[in-house]
Amino acid sequence: QEELVESGGGLVQPGGSLRLSCTASGFSFSTYWMHWVRQAPGKGLEWISGIVNDGTITYYSDSVKGRFTISRHNANNTLFLQMTNLLPEDTAVYLCAKDPRAWVDARTANRPHEYNAWGQGTQVTVSS
């Protein structure tokens, strides 16, 4: 079965950095768009970034643009999210997700209801 497992979350001070990983299994990872989504307590899912199957195109939400970098290493079936200059409002559970669509653009990437596989998430807490 398709499985996604996130890791790398933790407690970090404002202004700090953290790198999240998502390891995939059970599907052809290198053929799919992948995304990072987060959910803060009491809030809905917030899409933050997406990446095309070969890594050559990336999209970011305005909230994280310039601070976060999405990347992937297909040989290892792994998706990454490098987070820098973290803010308290970045505190959330971060999830990776698989997108079954053949192509997405900047306007359609941020549609979590289209994704068909999810990890259980990793907690990121930004606090002094």
Side-chain angles (χ1 to χ4, degrees), residues 52-74:
V52 71
N53 67 303
D54 66 359
T56 59
I57 300 172
T58 59
Y59 297 121
Y60 299 93
S61 70
D62 290 340
S63 296
V64 308
K65 188 175 297 182
R67 300 189 298 120
F68 293 7
T69 301
I70 190 171
S71 62
R72 64 196 297 163
H73 190 220
N74 285 343

Side-chain angles (χ1 to χ4, degrees), residues 12-19 63-69 81-87 90 126:
V12 63
Q13 294 183 340
S17 299
L18 210 58
R19 190 193 197 203
S63 296
V64 308
K65 188 175 297 182
R67 300 189 298 120
F68 293 7
T69 301
L81 184 68
Q82 179 66 52
M83 305 183 294
T84 63
N85 193 26
L86 284 161
L87 304 169
D90 294 319
V126 184

